[in-house]
Amino acid sequence: MRRTRIGAGAALAAGALAVTGLAFAPAALAVTPATATITADCGSFGGGEATLTATQNGTAATLTVNSSAITAPIALGEDSISSTLTLVKAGGGTVAFTGTENPAMAAGDPVQVGPLSGTVASGDSLEAFGGSLKMTVFGITITCTATGPQSPGPFVFD
């Protein structure tokens, strides 16, 4: 009988510790909206609608750019595009997201770059309009700019 009480007491203590741990665990941070759409102009390389997808983990954030309107001019290997996405802060200044992440693409495939990594602060409000996406492929730099504000609105980081 005594063994049963000790076992039950240990189980209750472990449960209480688990609940306490959950109460003090940091809340998951979120960026809103998680996705936004822009219309991009990439000069002689084309342009059209692109989707930006954002994630956040503390001060670390990532953005991925997908566009079926902007296509790969030639076959590209995985992680062969060096990209910098610069977003404009609502209060002034910019934040750059950089990386060399991209899937392999055949000529004519939709362009996808990212996740591109950057650092954000709580409350940052970032907009693609006024910034740019620079992609360097085989030494050629392609610069895309948004032709208007992103929809549904700027990314706001917790």
Side-chain angles (χ1 to χ4, degrees), residues 63-79:
L63 276 137
T64 302
V65 181
N66 290 293
S67 177
S68 57
I70 303 166
T71 57
I74 58 173
L76 300 169
E78 181 178 0
D79 302 336

Side-chain angles (χ1 to χ4, degrees), residues 19-100:
V19 169
T20 302
L22 287 174
F24 290 107
L29 297 177
V31 56
T32 52
T35 61
T37 304
I38 62 168
T39 301
D41 178 6
C42 302
S44 60
F45 292 96
E49 190 171 281
T51 301
L52 307 176
T53 304
T55 64
Q56 178 184 6
N57 185 6
T59 60
T62 63
L63 276 137
T64 302
V65 181
N66 290 293
S67 177
S68 57
I70 303 166
T71 57
I74 58 173
L76 300 169
E78 181 178 0
D79 302 336
S80 63
I81 303 173
S82 178
S83 303
T84 300
L85 174 64
T86 304
L87 299 180
V88 177
K89 282 184 164 185
T94 60
V95 175
F97 294 83
T98 61
T100 56

